[in-house]
Amino acid sequence: MPDTYSLISPAPTTNMQPGSPLILGIMASGSGSNFEAVAIAIENGDLHAKVAVLIHNKPDIQAIDRAQKRGIPTVFLDHLNYATRAELDRAIVATFQTYQVECVVMAGWMRVITQVLIDAFPDRLINIHPSLLPSFPGIHAIEQALAAKVKITGCTVHLVSLEVDAGPILVQAAVPVLPNDTSETLHARVQIQEHLILPQAIELLAQKINTDRISL
Ligand code: GAR
């Protein structure tokens, strides 16, 4: 078993049968290319999961088109309509519960989340970040890497904790920084790796959750 398994605590009680696909809820704020990579991995049989719903907090983003193309329901929760971060998270949790989501993927979700979301999906809430954490957490990770003149950066999929971009790491990929890189060229190469490791990390979790279903 990979070492990463030891970082994941036992699954909460689930009604899902052993062998059934992991029910995913996705959160996105932008283009949704990582969300689409997950959907493609499922279609290709590389990931035993199903995307039940996409939640987005911005209108008119490309992620919506990518979902609609695949018949995946979308729910718009505008963060401007909620007085606090916790209130937004309660609405997110309620939506995911409606869709019987077992595992949540923050795929380019650009809001700080609260304990409300973490408590609803203990060790079943993951995030993708465009750096080799713990380097360059927070916003503008690509620009931070360029400013620091590192020779190698990359991307990380990790379990979410209250501290931003700091939870246990599931999978990482390294990407060389080239001499003439701009934030656009570097981000494009980082995203190629993101699209590989995000489905891999979810499959790790899916296998762990399925093992827990069998032992329940
Ligand atoms: C991705 O590069 C992801 O790592 C980053 O936003 C991008 C979303 O792209 N997330 C963060 O910076 C979170 N701190 P996408 O919308 O094309 O998937």
Side-chain angles (χ1 to χ4, degrees):
M1 286 231 181
D3 288 340
T4 45
Y5 283 178
S6 62
L7 298 170
I8 303 166
S9 63
T13 305
T14 169
N15 294 325
M16 304 307 294
Q17 294 302 307
S20 60
L22 183 67
I23 307 300
L24 300 176
I26 309 277
M27 298 161 63
S29 304
S31 114
S33 70
N34 278 288
F35 153 58
E36 188 159 64
V38 171
I40 290 170
I42 292 169
E43 286 160 15
N44 290 346
D46 295 329
L47 173 56
H48 191 48
K50 176 188 170 185
V51 179
V53 61
L54 169 84
I55 290 179
H56 58 102
N57 67 319
K58 292 191 175 165
D60 305 325
I61 56 172
Q62 202 184 348
I64 303 166
D65 300 333
R66 297 189 204 260
Q68 287 175 347
K69 208 168 64 184
R70 295 186 153 76
I72 294 170
T74 62
V75 175
F76 177 38
L77 297 178
D78 187 344
H79 57 271
L80 299 174
N81 290 339
Y82 298 87
T84 64
R85 294 184 192 280
E87 273 183 45
L88 171 63
D89 283 359
R90 274 190 277 278
I92 291 170
V93 169
T95 303
F96 282 149
Q97 285 172 344
T98 302
Y99 285 88
Q100 299 189 305
V101 163
E102 294 178 283
C103 176
V104 174
V105 181
M106 293 164 56
W109 180 257
M110 304 309 278
R111 302 286 304 168
V112 172
I113 58 99
T114 69
Q115 196 68 41
V116 170
L117 193 53
I118 294 171
D119 286 348
F121 295 95
D123 291 333
R124 301 291 176 270
L125 175 62
I126 70 176
N127 179 48
I128 184 150
H129 183 75
S131 76
L132 288 176
L133 292 172
S135 293
F136 314 130
I139 58 170
H140 306 312
I142 299 287
E143 289 79 3
Q144 289 185 59
L146 288 171
K149 299 191 187 313
V150 293
K151 301 294 183 196
I152 295 175
T153 186
C155 47
T156 303
V157 181
H158 63 97
L159 294 173
V160 174
S161 62
L162 203 50
E163 192 182 343
V164 173
D165 299 327
I169 290 167
L170 295 173
V171 186
Q172 290 184 305
V175 176
V177 181
L178 303 180
N180 294 325
D181 259 335
T182 63
S183 57
E184 288 76 24
T185 60
L186 181 55
H187 194 200
R189 290 204 315 288
V190 168
Q191 286 223 290
I192 291 169
Q193 296 304 314
E194 289 189 328
H195 300 163
L196 296 174
I197 68 168
L198 184 56
Q200 284 173 10
I202 299 168
E203 179 61 19
L204 272 178
L205 267 182
Q207 289 175 13
K208 170 69 172 66
I209 291 171
N210 198 44
T211 304
D212 291 344
R213 285 176 187 150
I214 291 165
S215 58
L216 277 176

